[in-house]
Amino acid sequence: MNPSADYVPFVNWPVEVEWGLMKAGQVLAIMILLLLTLAFILLFDRKVWAAVQLRKGPNVVGPFGLLQSFADFFKFVLKEIVIPAGANKTVFILAPMISFVLAFVGWAVVPWAPDVVIANLNVGILYLFAISSLGVYGIIMGGWASNSKYPFLGGLRSAAQMVSYEVSIGFIIITVLLLVGSLNLTAIVDDQRAGMWMWHGFRLFDVSGWPGNILVGVVMLAMMGMFFISALAETNRPPFDLPEAESELVAGYQVEYSSTPYLLFMIGEYLNIVLMCAMLTILFLGGWHLPWGPVDSLGLNAFGTSALAMIVFYVKIWFVFFLFAMVKAIVPRYRYDQLMRLGWKIFLPTSLVAVAVIAYYVTFMAPPGAQHLAGG
Amino acid sequence: MLAAIAFYVLAAVAIVSAFAVIAARNPVHSVLFLILTFFSAAGLFVLLGAEFLAMLLVVVYVGAVAVLFLFVVMMLDVDFVELKQGFLQYLPAGFVVAGFLFAELSLVGAASMGANGAPIALAPNAPTEITNAEAIGRVLYTDYLLLFQMSGLVLLVAMIGAIVLTLRHRPGVKRQDIAAQVGRRRSESVELKDVRPGQGLG
């Protein structure tokens, strides 16, 4: 991508060089932010899990165990990398790297605040969807390359599971796209600027639109719930963690992995979970906008608005992650046939009907200003 | 300049990995190279400004179709050496197919060139202010609606055909009926037996 036409350079360098350096800096900043977030969100996950079970959780390294993740990091990195003798070496090493890299590249299009985004693609949501559907390769390659039964079974399970739930995630995303009329993530967030009752998940509470929007409100609320559940399945998160079900497959596709490759897998997995939290926030929970109105309604200057927007977005991600953690603590694991039944027989037909309902609403019932698709 | 570098890198990767698909000894590696080829093709689409098509290529082919390929190839128990033995025997047939494909592609390429070597626009240029997805939607659901619906029908028939061909009902399989499980009441399933000491249920 080349710098846009209205780009004003800071220093007297070739514009492409300066622009490239600036983008590299942004990428680095986002990566550091994500890795730090990951360190504390891992701890948070374990703390929530422990609290539900009336335990204390990690509390030895640092105050309240705050440095636990860093201790774990050094432990992983300093151990020996074991590659099984019968393994397909190249693919075995490649698999965790793919997981790790794919988990990061998805964040390139995630808007943190108005205009704070590395690449503001027109097809942003499709890009996110594509990247999250690629995540399966790390797992299936790792499972196959280990040349061992448990990892292979885990890899196969995960392939079938992720492909199944992608379908319903796709349809759920389409319902939001129909309401917004754009695939651009910033546009999707700004469509929800008015306040909590205009967030796509909570359209039901927009009292001024009653009774016309009750149907669409109910449907979108259901879609938010289904997206949440599908996101759990897509990221192999409990109660759908069948690829690594420890009671059946030891640790699934990760059995033969140790040390840094295992760490890469784990970072990839958690980063995908956080990415799903961000997607849910953007699609249904208003992104960076405040519950009572747009983030720029407070009269702050540009920098303040951006900072506040980032904080709001960040807090929402953590809230959704808290829900993920609670599900992990509370819900028992699904059986494999139940998982498939839920995905294909319940979620797929429901989301298809939802797409039809929302399309009908947008074409015939939406208030005149919102008929962006009908008239063209 | 950047676009030219990106094009040559992507094109080279696409061609080399497409060759590796047939050259690789291990079928799983072949599929992985095929995925790399799809991915490079998606990159080329982005360079053409067709980002919507690129994303669809990644979602549909890389994210779903190739996963199922990989799934099947991994589960096949094939002897790799035996698989490669017929390679030379089929080589002439492969060359014939490749020749036909090349001739067809050259024909299309030649037909889309004007007299001075510049490409002719086959379709009127889309207005620049609407996005990719919108432009495709506008032609797909107006001018080509019939073709679009018909291809959908064909796919539906193919899907039903595949299901009918592979579906077989085995007798004696216990199936889970979730509604019956959830609808079960305590009175239907639990019974209190009063067992007297020394007598048993006799």
Side-chain angles (χ1 to χ4, degrees), chain B residues 5 7 14 38 50-51 57 65 122 125 151 162 169 191 194 196:
Chain B
I5 294 175
F7 170 77
F38 283 151
E51 66 257 22
L57 187 70
V65 175
L122 290 177
N125 278 334
S151 55
H169 283 290
E191 190 185 350
D194 193 11
R196 295 193 178 280

Side-chain angles (χ1 to χ4, degrees), chain A residues 84-138:
Chain A
N88 196 317
K89 234 179 216 169
T90 323
V91 181
F92 187 82
I93 295 290
L94 210 59
M97 290 184 184
I98 288 183
S99 264
F100 182 80
V101 171
L102 282 179
F104 272 103
V105 291
W107 287 91
V109 295
V110 172
W112 290 82
D115 297 326
V116 181
V117 51
I118 295 174
N120 196 4
L121 293 190
N122 274 332
V123 288
I125 190 69
L126 257 184
Y127 173 87
L128 265 188
F129 184 55
I131 293 300
S132 75
S133 72
L134 291 184
V136 65
Y137 280 112

Side-chain angles (χ1 to χ4, degrees), chain B residues 20-171:
Chain B
V21 173
I22 50 168
R25 290 188 167 275
N26 191 328
V28 173
H29 291 174
S30 291
V31 178
L32 292 176
F33 277 119
L34 182 67
I35 292 160
L36 189 58
T37 315
F38 283 151
F39 213 78
S40 318
L44 290 175
F45 270 135
V46 171
L47 286 184
L48 282 174
E51 66 257 22
F52 184 71
L53 278 184
M55 292 305 143
L56 280 195
L57 187 70
V58 174
V59 170
V60 176
Y61 283 92
V62 184
V65 175
V67 173
L68 297 180
F69 276 7
L70 204 58
F71 195 87
V72 172
V73 169
M74 278 179 180
M75 294 220 285
L76 288 179
D77 186 23
V78 284
D79 187 355
F80 300 148
V81 183
E82 197 187 334
L83 201 72
K84 286 284 162 191
Q85 269 173 359
F87 191 69
L88 277 181
Q89 192 187 336
Y90 292 121
L91 203 58
F95 271 121
V96 172
V97 173
F100 269 111
L101 273 178
F102 186 72
E104 282 175 4
L105 278 179
S106 319
L107 213 64
V108 170
S112 63
M113 291 284 192
N116 52 358
I120 319 170
L122 290 177
N125 278 334
T128 45
E129 71 269 16
I130 63 169
T131 61
N132 233 285
E134 215 174 326
I136 289 180
R138 281 192 182 171
V139 285
L140 204 58
Y141 292 100
T142 52
D143 298 351
Y144 300 104
L145 182 66
L146 185 64
L147 288 174
F148 179 66
Q149 299 272 337
M150 269 163 53
S151 55
L153 263 182
V154 170
L155 284 176
L156 183 67
V157 170
M159 189 179 84
I160 294 174
I163 293 172
V164 168
L165 284 178
T166 52
L167 184 72
R168 59 198 163 99
H169 283 290
R170 280 178 301 174

Side-chain angles (χ1 to χ4, degrees), chain A residues 218-277:
Chain A
V218 170
V219 169
M220 289 316 286
L221 196 62
M223 285 303 108
M224 182 166 67
M226 277 172 56
F227 186 89
F228 180 70
I229 297 170
S230 302
L232 290 173
E234 181 80 4
T235 52
N236 300 322
R237 186 76 183 165
F240 305 113
D241 58 340
L242 294 154
E244 47 196 290
E246 68 269 12
S247 52
E248 303 154 32
L249 297 177
V250 191
Y253 65 95
Q254 299 171 338
V255 170
E256 305 288 350
Y257 280 91
S258 56
S259 172
T260 312
Y262 175 81
L263 178 71
L264 293 184
F265 260 139
M266 207 167 79
I267 290 181
E269 195 179 320
Y270 267 86
L271 208 53
N272 265 328
I273 293 167
V274 181
L275 183 62
M276 277 294 172
C277 296

